């Protein structure tokens, strides 16, 4: 199983910015996600066409099952 964390932030000029992180731990807690998103906002290292990230909007973890097919 692969787990993907999707995060959405509001920007300073009313837009939204989305980030996804693949390969997160399956037991990721809401507290860890909130801390990560707060850190992303406070460090101000990402920019978007509608300005800096200013608030957390949503976050979700998606579980993805991948079945590789052997080539013969």
């Amino acid at each position: 199983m692969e787990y993907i964390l999707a995060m959405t932030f509001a920007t300073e000029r009313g837009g939204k910015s989305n980030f996804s992180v693949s390969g997160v731990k399956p037991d990721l807690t809401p507290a860890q996600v909130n801390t990560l998103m707060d850190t992303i906002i406070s460090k101000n290292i990402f920019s978007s066409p509608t300005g800096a990230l200013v608030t957390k909007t949503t976050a979700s973890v998606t579980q993805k099952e991948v079945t590789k097919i052997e080539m013969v």
Side-chain angles (χ1 to χ4, degrees):
M1 292 289 171
E2 180 182 359
Y3 296 87
I4 302 161
L5 171 62
M7 301 170 283
T8 303
F9 298 87
T11 64
E12 61 189 348
R13 290 192 290 257
K16 291 193 178 192
S17 188
N18 300 305
F19 292 92
S20 293
V21 179
S22 297
V24 297
K25 300 184 299 182
D27 58 348
L28 191 64
T29 67
Q32 291 170 319
V33 173
N34 276 287
T35 299
L36 172 61
M37 293 179 79
D38 288 337
T39 301
I40 290 170
I41 291 169
S42 70
K43 297 293 183 181
N44 196 29
I45 57 172
F46 296 108
S47 62
S48 75
T50 56
L53 310 179
V54 292
T55 58
K56 303 174 283 192
T57 305
T58 63
S60 62
V61 175
T62 302
Q63 179 179 332
K64 177 178 162 184
E65 184 173 341
V66 178
T67 305
K68 294 193 178 203
I69 299 172
E70 183 179 331
M71 296 291 111
V72 291

